[in-house]
Amino acid sequence: MKKGITKRSEDFSRWYTDVIIGARLADYSPVKGCMVIRPNGYSLWEKMQSYLDKMFKETGHENAYFPLLIPESFLEKEAEHVEGFAPECAVVTHGGGKKLEEPLVIRPTSETIIWAMFKKWIMSYRDLPLLINQWCNVLRWEMRTRLFLRTTEFLWQEGHTAHATAEEAEEETLRMLNVYQTFAQDYAAIPVLSGRKSDREKFAGALHTYTIEALMQDGKALQAGTSHNLGQNFAKAFDVTFQDQHGKQQLVYATSWGMSTRMIGALIMTHGDDQGLVLPPRLAPLQVVFIPIFKGKEGHGEILSYIEKIAASLDGEISYRVDAREEYTPGWKFNEWEQAGVPIRIEAGPRDLQRGQVVAVRRDTGEKINLPEDSVKDKVREVLDEIQTLLYRRALGFREENTTKVNDYGTFQEVVSGQGGFIYAHWCGDPECEDQIKQETMATIRCIPLESEVDRGVCVRCGNQSDERVYFAKAY
RNA sequence: CGGGACGUGGCGCAGUCUGGCUAGCGCACCUGAAUGGGGUUCAGGGGGUCGGAGGUUCAAAUCCUCUCGUCCCGACCA
């Protein structure tokens, strides 16, 4: 008997929502487009934060915090930036019961206020590079929202750096793209394609944008992190200059990069199954759950102390919990913890106690393994690693199966509307073609690979010369 | 903003067309007992005035008018 979760094959969107509700990651809030992140979801976010934060620090960045409210005029300083963000900004017009002299925008991203501050802090080349990150919430007034994927308010991290040269800025942009890629693959077990965005898809105000793109189980792509080379656009807009070694005033070069709670959506849609959430062990807030199997009224205490003893041997290295609730049956608990995505479940009942073993069950494969009492710790550690690896391989296999090299527009349209996935095809570089393709097929350019082998061909849409292939897909 | 649908205990719904019994069901919740290796069973129990306002009527969840809200589809997007 199954209830609660819609099958993926039946309705992927509903499945996605069911998984989130079932795993208690989040819930709908009274405010349209906003969500409440519940403890299960938030602890997952904290786990992500801790790894990312460590990587940011290792690459020389420091955390800081800038205000939520930004003078409206700041947003207007960089032409392309205004155009990109103005429509989705929430604006505060009143405060303290009075109309404000200048409206304040709730940050949709913090480039403007940060660069207003950078102007004060950067005088000389000795002040560079300036490497700042902030963890915060941002607000974007979206038309259509979905839990974790697109909500009006979301949590993220935004890095903002200032450099003396264009080369350094570019290097930084790619370095952070690489951090994101490492995080996605090694921690979230999500294979990603990295590359550059087309001009149409790039960040408003950037010279160019790099992205990591993941493929979800329904064949749609999801942008999971972006890194922007902002060139001197914001330095110009906010007049941020420094004096170089030769005494000359120069404009500063900038980057910014971000990863958001959307990553949780990516996690769900990459690894989840019809039973619910499946978490990669490295990000799972809870890695092992112990479930005592009681028989009759007697002996509950013995089973529990048997479990407690074994569980205690994991302490410090592996996060676990003992679910000793009496009011639920084992089967009920199995389902509940499966929905929550816990990587390993360990059952122990009278039979196990007698044999001096426990039964471990893998969330990813459902495989049951008998573990002798004294080998639990080593074995669990080993299986967690295996799960981590398998999840990545499985996802990678899926992406490979769903990446199609296409040479003509007919096939292109067929694949987009049929199988979906990534389509690796020639594009001439003309935004006009890109637009046409989007209108006709709903597919967009997800990324232009950084180093593609020279592969001469013709644009799928217009037939003009093309030297490289790009990845197309329908996207979230 | 355009097209469609829907608002009835916490959640999901029936009842509305064809006004009329005490507004019903499933899940969840509470109490008790048995059960316990894949959502256990039985018994008992609490909780709604039908999104809101107005109107028609002897009588409105049901008909009419207005209003508010939500969801889905499209134009925008980490």
Side-chain angles (χ1 to χ4, degrees), chain A residues 75-131:
Chain A
L75 261 295
E76 289 158 7
K77 292 197 177 184
E78 210 288 326
E80 207 180 319
H81 194 63
V82 203
E83 208 185 308
F85 283 104
E88 51 188 75
C89 284
V91 183
V92 177
T93 55
H94 290 72
K98 281 191 298 190
K99 188 165 187 223
L100 301 176
E101 278 192 27
E102 182 181 354
L104 298 169
V105 169
I106 299 177
R107 64 182 164 218
T109 178
S110 303
E111 272 76 7
T112 57
I113 193 146
I114 287 180
W115 280 84
M117 297 312 295
F118 277 12
K119 176 182 167 59
K120 295 171 75 172
W121 300 342
I122 299 170
M123 307 300 290
S124 127
Y125 70 92
R126 294 182 212 274
D127 298 322
L128 297 174
L130 183 53
L131 307 172

Side-chain angles (χ1 to χ4, degrees), chain A residues 178-460:
Chain A
N178 197 47
V179 164
Y180 288 152
Q181 175 154 15
T182 302
F183 174 77
Q185 300 190 336
D186 294 356
Y187 291 88
I190 299 174
V192 293
L193 294 174
S194 63
R196 192 164 48 83
K197 282 291 188 190
S198 66
D199 279 355
R200 196 159 291 275
E201 299 275 331
K202 78 174 169 65
F203 176 75
L207 230 50
H208 51 254
T209 289
Y210 296 107
T211 177
I212 55 171
E213 298 280 331
L215 189 63
M216 305 296 101
Q217 292 183 62
D218 62 346
K220 285 166 82 174
L222 182 74
Q223 179 174 312
T226 49
S227 184
H228 318 289
N229 184 332
L230 303 174
Q232 294 178 311
N233 291 345
F234 283 88
K236 277 180 201 151
F238 288 87
D239 188 33
V240 184
T241 60
F242 69 100
Q243 196 166 26
D244 70 14
Q245 289 91 324
H246 313 293
K248 274 174 63 180
Q249 290 295 322
Q250 304 262 16
L251 281 167
V252 172
Y253 292 86
T255 83
S256 69
W257 26 275
M259 182 173 272
S260 72
T261 39
R262 179 182 243 198
M263 195 67 189
I264 294 175
L267 216 51
I268 296 165
M269 289 194 288
T270 300
H271 303 306
D273 64 20
D274 288 344
Q275 260 57 253
L277 189 61
V278 177
L279 290 175
R282 287 182 130 183
L283 290 184
L286 185 63
Q287 295 172 308
V288 178
V289 63
F290 288 89
I291 298 179
I293 310 292
F294 300 130
K295 298 277 191 188
K297 269 201 133 79
E298 304 298 312
H300 292 200
E302 286 161 59
I303 293 169
L304 276 180
S305 52
Y306 179 65
I307 287 179
E308 290 292 354
K309 192 182 69 192
I310 293 170
S313 74
L314 304 180
D315 207 9
E317 284 191 50
I318 294 159
S319 58
Y320 68 87
R321 177 163 159 183
V322 179
D323 184 355
R325 290 174 296 177
E326 289 274 355
E327 63 272 28
Y328 293 106
T329 58
W332 197 93
K333 293 177 186 172
F334 296 168
N335 281 286
E336 173 160 276
W337 292 111
E338 269 168 19
Q339 279 191 33
V342 178
I344 296 179
R345 171 177 88 232
I346 293 180
E347 307 168 18
R351 288 208 300 267
D352 302 300
L353 198 147
Q354 216 171 31
R355 297 176 198 162
Q357 61 155 46
V358 295
V359 179
V361 183
R362 289 174 60 147
R363 177 63 183 88
D364 58 340
T365 59
E367 188 192 349
K368 292 194 176 188
I369 319 156
N370 292 323
L371 301 181
E373 173 180 8
D374 51 11
S375 74
V376 172
K377 180 176 183 172
D378 292 339
K379 208 52 196 168
V380 161
R381 201 190 291 140
E382 198 179 305
V383 174
L384 287 173
D385 283 346
E386 281 174 28
I387 294 173
Q388 183 80 29
T389 307
L390 178 72
L391 289 181
Y392 180 77
R393 292 222 180 107
R394 204 195 253 173
L396 183 61
F398 177 83
R399 188 189 77 194
E400 282 166 353
E401 278 164 34
N402 290 282
T403 300
T404 316
K405 207 169 187 177
V406 161
N407 293 313
D408 66 281
Y409 203 48
T411 312
F412 187 101
Q413 287 170 306
E414 232 168 77
V415 176
V416 174
S417 59
Q419 180 187 7
F422 284 118
I423 296 177
Y424 195 39
H426 276 286
W427 172 56
C428 59
D430 185 352
E432 202 50 41
C433 276
E434 184 181 2
D435 250 10
Q436 292 293 329
I437 291 171
K438 182 177 180 183
Q439 274 176 29
E440 289 160 8
T441 69
M442 301 281 285
T444 50
I445 296 176
R446 299 321 302 161
C447 71
I448 304 162
L450 293 185
E451 294 148 18
S452 50
E453 69 276 28
V454 180
D455 176 10
R456 308 215 134 217
V458 294
C459 173
V460 276

